[in-house]
Amino acid sequence: MTATEPAPSEADSERHFERYFEDVIARDQRIEPRDWLPEAYRKTMIRQIAQHAHSEIIGMQPEGNWITRAPSLRRKAILLAKVQDEAGHGLYLYSAAETLGGDRDDLTEKLISGRQKYSSIFNYPTLSFADVGVIGWLVDGAAICNQVPLCRSSYGPYARAMIRICKEESFHQRQGYELLMTMMTGTEAQREMVQDAVNRYWWPSLMMFGPPDDDSPNTAQSMAWKIKRHTNDELRQRFVDMTVPQAEALGVTLPDPDLSWNADRGHYDFGAIDWDELKQVISGGGPCNTERVERRRAAHEDGAWVREAAAAHARKQQQRKEVAA
Ligand code: FAQ
């Protein structure tokens, strides 16, 4: 700009940034923390990333419940590693939210006061060790189906976090399937435990993909911003198509009499999902909502001294640096 050129007005600058944002999205490139972004995009990203982070952290509880009762040292080591991975996923995701100006303390507060959501699936109880296998197979399987496309999500830090998360979720899914295979070649009682766990977790796993497209308020805008690459129903169908042959190989029955191959569509048809149940679970009325949130609150409060100690240590380091300078 030369001295004689008029300075751009605020509105001009805003339009320039907006065009840049839209170009980045149109070119399928990534929005980075340094970039200008519309406030609504920032809010949507923080909402989704926070809900995802909370899900990983609350998701440690149902399986964590079985660590002390794992049937062998090998199963215990696998389960411990898996649950620790979920903690790691939560931490990468909270860090991604921080790049958007989200504050981790604030997000945690919103979770434990019920103002932010986490995945409905973690509000169901884990009644036997077969549930550990079924969570790996179905819940991690659904998570992978949903999250692989998020590796191409338009927000850079989220998309990159998702790459590592998906690799780890793949291991989780495999360990679940391997556990179920072992149980299915065991005793009749073990086979019954697996079938019972599948009966309880099948429908809630389908609900993980969110409400149907015609009742999903966020999908259209999130697709336009390339935060989401597929709709809820598309991913749900992909999951069903992927899982039916796995169920056959395992020798379990999926609890849906309407499940059948539709040659015309090239997909499996499946029965009606109980959307009232999803609404009830999301709004706090699932079988374990209160217990999950209370346990998270207690862990947060018990950990206050660690946060205080870390902050005191950081202050001391800073003071030492200042004295030395
Ligand atoms: N549960 O308009 P939409 C895992 C909410 S991680 C609870 O369709 P959107 C790893 C939704 O937030 C599992 N809430 O929303 C693991 C929205 O809320 P609002 C978590 C749900 O965002 C495995 C409202 O309903 N994964 O499993 C659910 O476009 C094993 C309207 O819905 C992610 O978070 C639900 N099922 O699509 C850990 C992946 N569905 O607007 C341990 C990232 C919807 O009132 C063990 N997230 N809602 O605040 C996403 O892909 C999307 O956010 C969807 C929802 C697809 C979940």
Side-chain angles (χ1 to χ4, degrees), residues 59 62-64 66 75 78-79 82-83 85-86 89 121-122 126 128-145 147 165-181 183 194 197-198 201-202 205 208-209 239 242-243 246 250:
E63 290 168 285
W66 281 92
R75 292 293 171 201
I78 295 172
L79 186 54
K82 179 184 193 286
V83 172
D85 283 352
E86 312 298 359
H89 299 172
I121 192 73
F122 302 116
T126 39
S128 79
F129 201 74
D131 291 19
V132 170
V134 166
I135 289 178
W137 174 40
L138 296 180
V139 176
D140 284 281
I144 294 167
C145 223
Q147 286 166 211
I165 290 178
C166 284
K167 284 188 183 155
E168 293 179 349
E169 303 287 26
S170 296
F171 150 72
H172 297 170
Q173 203 241 7
R174 290 293 178 92
Q175 68 78 36
Y177 199 70
E178 191 265 346
L179 166 57
L180 296 180
M181 267 296 180
M183 291 186 79
V194 174
V198 170
Y201 272 90
W202 173 247
S205 299
M208 282 177 72
F209 295 92
F239 174 70
M242 178 183 103
T243 307
Q246 294 172 0
L250 203 53

Side-chain angles (χ1 to χ4, degrees), residues 96-322:
E98 283 175 343
T99 67
L100 288 154
D103 174 77
R104 193 161 141 203
D105 282 344
D106 173 55
L107 298 178
T108 303
E109 191 48 47
K110 283 184 172 137
L111 168 67
I112 60 187
S113 61
R115 283 178 293 144
Q116 260 177 358
K117 299 183 171 78
Y118 58 90
S119 182
S120 49
I121 192 73
F122 302 116
N123 291 307
Y124 292 87
T126 39
L127 303 181
S128 79
F129 201 74
D131 291 19
V132 170
V134 166
I135 289 178
W137 174 40
L138 296 180
V139 176
D140 284 281
I144 294 167
C145 223
N146 167 264
Q147 286 166 211
V148 165
L150 292 175
C151 298
R152 293 185 298 115
S153 181
S154 58
Y155 189 59
Y158 186 48
R160 290 189 289 275
M162 218 47 70
I163 294 171
R164 177 159 173 185
I165 290 178
C166 284
K167 284 188 183 155
E168 293 179 349
E169 303 287 26
S170 296
F171 150 72
H172 297 170
Q173 203 241 7
R174 290 293 178 92
Q175 68 78 36
Y177 199 70
E178 191 265 346
L179 166 57
L180 296 180
M181 267 296 180
T182 306
M183 291 186 79
M184 290 303 285
T185 51
T187 64
E188 193 49 40
Q190 285 175 311
R191 277 189 289 278
E192 278 168 18
M193 276 163 75
V194 174
Q195 185 61 57
D196 174 61
V198 170
N199 293 348
R200 286 180 285 107
Y201 272 90
W202 173 247
W203 292 107
S205 299
L206 296 189
M207 294 175 198
M208 282 177 72
F209 295 92
D213 291 350
D214 57 13
D215 194 23
S216 162
N218 300 300
T219 292
Q221 182 60 77
S222 290
M223 296 280 285
W225 277 331
K226 297 185 184 167
I227 293 171
K228 285 169 87 163
R229 295 295 185 143
H230 304 280
T231 70
N232 299 355
D233 286 336
E234 284 166 6
L235 292 174
R236 194 173 0 256
Q237 180 71 63
R238 187 180 283 187
F239 174 70
V240 172
D241 292 347
M242 178 183 103
T243 307
V244 173
Q246 294 172 0
E248 282 164 8
L250 203 53
V252 293
T253 307
L254 295 172
D256 178 359
D258 297 326
L259 197 59
S260 64
W261 178 249
N262 181 328
D264 293 338
R265 289 200 313 120
H267 292 290
Y268 283 93
D269 289 336
F270 53 95
I273 295 174
D274 182 351
W275 296 119
D276 289 340
E277 178 177 324
L278 177 65
K279 281 188 188 139
Q280 192 183 339
V281 176
I282 290 183
S283 54
C288 300
N289 293 60
T290 309
E291 180 187 327
R292 300 288 186 242
V293 173
E294 271 317 303
R295 186 174 287 190
R296 180 70 196 96
R297 176 199 300 284
H300 185 63
E301 287 168 2
D302 286 349
W305 69 271
V306 179
R307 292 189 295 281
E308 281 160 21
H313 179 70
R315 270 196 308 276
K316 209 158 48 182
Q317 296 290 91
Q318 183 61 27
Q319 277 163 5
R320 281 194 189 142
K321 244 193 234 160
E322 282 166 13

